Amino acid sequence: MKTPPDSAPAPHPRITAGLRNLAIGLARLIGWTNITAASDHYRSHPADGLQLLGFTT
């Protein structure tokens, strides 16, 4: 299967999958039960995610 021309393939699929699994685990750890809602929230409010990780903006 070829990758569509408008999207780039992930350079390291295992690393990408590991980071995604880490994000899901952290979301569950802090109480999110709906991962889609958590993903949408942190995509819209990246400062909240940085604050959870100890970075301030």
Side-chain angles (χ1 to χ4, degrees), residues 1-52:
M1 181 189 294
K2 291 184 96 177
T3 304
D6 60 340
S7 66
H12 300 286
R14 287 185 180 180
I15 294 172
T16 303
L19 291 172
R20 181 175 45 248
N21 289 337
L22 177 63
I24 290 170
L26 289 173
R28 290 197 189 281
L29 186 66
I30 62 171
W32 286 94
T33 56
N34 184 331
I35 299 303
T36 301
S39 177
D40 290 344
H41 172 80
Y42 290 113
R43 187 178 308 117
S44 300
H45 304 93
D48 292 352
L50 291 173
Q51 185 177 14
L52 283 173

